[in-house]
Amino acid sequence: MAAQEFRQPALAGLDPTVEGVDPALPLYATTFVVVDLETTGGAPDSGGITEIGAVKVRGGEELGVLATLVNPGVPIPPFITVLTGITQAMLLPAPPIEQVLPSFLEFISDAVLVAHNAPYDVGFLKAACAKHGYRWPNPRVLDTAALARRVLLRDEVPNRKLGTLAAYFRAATQPTHRALDDARATVDVLHGLIGRLGGHRVDTVGDAIEFARAVTPTQRRKRHLADGLPRSPGVYIFRAADDRPLYVGTSRDIATRVRSYFTAAEKRARISEMLAAAERVEAVECAHSLEAEVRELRLIGAHAPPYNRRSKYPERVVWLKLTDGPYPRLSVVREISPSDRAYLGPFTSRRTAELAAAGFHDAVPLRQCTHRLSLRTVTPACALAELGRCPAPCEHRISPEEYDARAVTPFATATTGDPQPVVDALLARIEALSASQRYEEAAALRSRLVAVLRAAVRMQRLAALSAIAEVAAAHPAAGGGWELALVRHGRLAGAGVSPPGVHPRPTLAAIRATAETVSPGHGPVPAASPEESERILSWLERPETRLVEMSAGWASPVAGAARFRDLLTKAENAASRQLWSERS
């Protein structure tokens, strides 16, 4: 074999505008580069490539050949010489791999890479690119060995070795452990396997690649559900035979995302169960990703699909509020009303709300009993009063005015303004417990501090947005133009996209004219779920987002809870390290 042989005739009749390989491309129209390597053995990062053979084919026609010996820069083991016939003398005049890679990478561009036991060959090629500073193009790869395991029965061939398959398909060239011969044999094996794929309803290159993997029968049977879906941002809904929503998801490309549920990459047991029950997929196209995320949350909240775990019940939140009457106490409730004096939330669970309540009980002298107290009648005190943990308003040991100043006002101030007194009290107790080497109690108190600060920061952020009647914002679209959003009282009221080269004002005016009417309410998230408002906040706070118009100023308290973000992060990290230590 010559040190390097390269031949690639002109590809007449090919569409020059096609770039890359579309997974929906039919197999007969797909360009394949079938490659085989000979190496010095060992792992890709330690062994060297001694020979490359590659054949480019399309529609059964050979389009080009690349074949070359490669000087690996290391001695050839004797058993490799016996196996391949390649000697050290043959490789001395051959070019090193860094000189061969540019021609090879150009040869495989815009093609599907095919190899027998592809992970082995691809591993060596990727390692060579990484070692010599070449970018691996990451082409689609089809493994003929894996494909043969899926197509051929044991009764037909005893094993899936290249020599066995080449003999079975009567290949014109039999493998000889030389790169070009083995590549040509693999070409004939590939064509034989493609001929068998029609009976499995595999017609495209994407289907062939997925078919070669461990795809379940249910995934193969139901993959037609992804047909005809739009390649645009939006929400997709898997529905059962009775039209009941089973699963709701969102993506920037609905078609691509839904198709991924029918590939080997999808291994979740609950999704496999969902696919077995699904009969159709409904797509709801959206203007951009923010609208898609919001619609997903609303659909999950409205229908509670059985196979959605994250955000399954976004509307189920609880609040921590002060009760009415003399000597108020903290109570966990499902809803708040305009008559409520002070509250904190929303919390995603009752347990988190109770943890924050415990933090306030440690910091301020709020009573914890559930009795309805009277300013006239005395009620016997509980054990907490005897332990000095309660000022005993039940026995009138503290006046309503003093109780309000020492207990009620610090809670109300911490939720809507400055939580400094509460934070200082909790930190002082944590330091005292640590100094006494009561570390478990200090850690418990730290968890309560985290719950208090996290809830206060969240509520103040949500309240600042919900107080604004209307916010119009724009974010640069990926393909040019602007993604537009109209937010009213923390709820997404309208969305659209202004095309490139067109002023966004007319589009924004059309969005405003058709936007949802949102009335103000009581609380930081009166018009939307907390998760929806937080998604909107994250979108608005991106550096690229521009605030176009606002009906009022957007501001948070100067001495608000947000200034304790660093403390909150440190406390959360310390809790995570402790949990990791306990588990390990």
Side-chain angles (χ1 to χ4, degrees), residues 117-191:
N117 291 319
Y120 180 83
D121 298 273
V122 172
F124 272 90
L125 292 168
K126 291 177 68 175
C129 286
K131 181 178 180 180
H132 298 287
Y134 290 96
R135 186 187 69 84
W136 176 247
N138 198 29
R140 299 186 187 276
V141 178
L142 182 60
D143 187 350
T144 50
L147 195 59
R149 283 191 287 270
R150 302 283 292 125
V151 171
L152 301 177
L153 302 176
R154 283 288 181 184
D155 294 341
E156 297 176 282
V157 289
N159 55 60
R160 307 307 189 271
K161 295 179 180 179
L162 180 58
T164 303
L165 297 176
Y168 178 78
F169 287 113
R170 296 182 175 87
T173 304
Q174 292 297 311
T176 61
H177 292 294
R178 293 299 298 270
L180 185 58
D181 286 347
D182 289 6
R184 289 192 184 280
T186 305
V187 168
D188 290 337
V189 170
L190 172 66
H191 289 157

Side-chain angles (χ1 to χ4, degrees), residues 329-341:
R329 62 177 177 84
L330 294 178
S331 176
V332 179
V333 297
R334 288 287 181 189
E335 296 180 355
I336 53 175
S337 64
S339 61
D340 290 327
R341 180 175 180 180

Side-chain angles (χ1 to χ4, degrees), residues 381-390 392 395 397:
C382 62
L384 290 175
E386 301 299 328
L387 294 172
R389 298 288 305 278
C390 180
E395 292 187 345
R397 298 183 195 176

Side-chain angles (χ1 to χ4, degrees), residues 54-416:
V55 181
K56 182 178 290 187
V57 294
R58 185 186 225 181
E61 179 185 354
E62 184 178 296
L63 305 175
V65 173
L66 184 150
T68 179
L69 289 170
V70 180
N71 189 338
V74 295
I76 305 298
F79 78 93
I80 293 293
T81 298
V82 173
L83 179 67
T84 65
I86 299 175
T87 65
Q88 194 73 41
M90 295 170 61
L91 298 181
L92 285 176
I97 188 63
E98 57 266 30
Q99 294 181 15
V100 176
L101 281 174
S103 297
F104 177 77
L105 294 176
E106 181 181 359
F107 189 73
I108 69 171
S109 63
D110 298 332
V112 174
L113 199 62
V114 181
H116 199 72
N117 291 319
Y120 180 83
D121 298 273
V122 172
F124 272 90
L125 292 168
K126 291 177 68 175
C129 286
K131 181 178 180 180
H132 298 287
Y134 290 96
R135 186 187 69 84
W136 176 247
N138 198 29
R140 299 186 187 276
V141 178
L142 182 60
D143 187 350
T144 50
L147 195 59
R149 283 191 287 270
R150 302 283 292 125
V151 171
L152 301 177
L153 302 176
R154 283 288 181 184
D155 294 341
E156 297 176 282
V157 289
N159 55 60
R160 307 307 189 271
K161 295 179 180 179
L162 180 58
T164 303
L165 297 176
Y168 178 78
F169 287 113
R170 296 182 175 87
T173 304
Q174 292 297 311
T176 61
H177 292 294
R178 293 299 298 270
L180 185 58
D181 286 347
D182 289 6
R184 289 192 184 280
T186 305
V187 168
D188 290 337
V189 170
L190 172 66
H191 289 157
L193 293 172
I194 288 177
R196 299 286 294 269
L197 289 177
H200 297 274
R201 298 179 63 187
V202 175
D203 304 312
T204 67
V205 63
D207 291 342
I209 293 172
E210 290 304 329
F211 184 79
R213 300 174 181 173
V215 180
T216 66
T218 299
Q219 289 175 307
R220 291 198 302 273
R221 189 174 66 254
K222 294 294 185 74
R223 67 184 179 188
H224 67 277
L225 298 180
D227 295 344
L229 294 176
R231 303 195 65 172
S232 59
V235 179
Y236 54 90
I237 309 166
F238 283 88
R239 292 187 179 273
D242 59 358
D243 223 30
R244 177 171 47 95
L246 298 173
Y247 184 84
V248 177
T250 181
S251 176
R252 291 180 178 272
D253 186 332
I254 296 175
T256 300
R257 181 68 185 98
V258 173
R259 195 178 295 119
S260 71
Y261 286 91
F262 306 98
T263 66
E266 181 54 72
K267 299 182 183 299
R268 291 172 292 179
R270 64 187 179 91
I271 296 300
S272 297
E273 183 181 332
M274 183 273 293
L275 292 176
E279 291 298 327
R280 70 182 184 94
V281 179
E282 177 184 340
V284 180
E285 294 187 69
C286 298
H288 45 70
S289 58
L290 175 61
E291 184 187 11
E293 291 177 11
V294 168
R295 288 190 180 277
E296 178 194 31
L297 288 172
R298 293 179 184 177
L299 286 168
I300 291 174
H303 300 290
Y307 293 97
N308 278 93
R309 289 182 178 176
R310 180 179 58 86
S311 307
K312 189 171 182 180
Y313 302 107
E315 78 288 353
R316 293 188 182 179
V317 297
V318 295
W319 301 79
L320 190 63
K321 74 162 191 174
L322 286 173
T323 58
D324 298 329
Y327 303 114
R329 62 177 177 84
L330 294 178
S331 176
V332 179
V333 297
R334 288 287 181 189
E335 296 180 355
I336 53 175
S337 64
S339 61
D340 290 327
R341 180 175 180 180
Y343 51 84
L344 180 65
F347 295 92
T348 55
S349 69
R350 187 178 187 88
R351 177 183 173 279
T352 309
E354 291 172 347
L355 193 64
F360 280 106
H361 289 144
D362 288 322
V364 295
L366 282 165
R367 69 182 180 97
Q368 301 182 42
C369 61
T370 58
H371 301 297
R372 187 173 183 83
L373 303 185
S374 171
L375 295 176
R376 297 181 179 180
T377 306
V378 174
T379 304
C382 62
L384 290 175
E386 301 299 328
L387 294 172
R389 298 288 305 278
C390 180
C394 49
E395 292 187 345
H396 296 175
R397 298 183 195 176
I398 184 173
S399 67
E401 293 76 18
E402 185 181 359
Y403 182 85
D404 186 86
R406 290 177 54 192
V408 175
T409 300
F411 172 81
T413 303
T415 58
T416 59

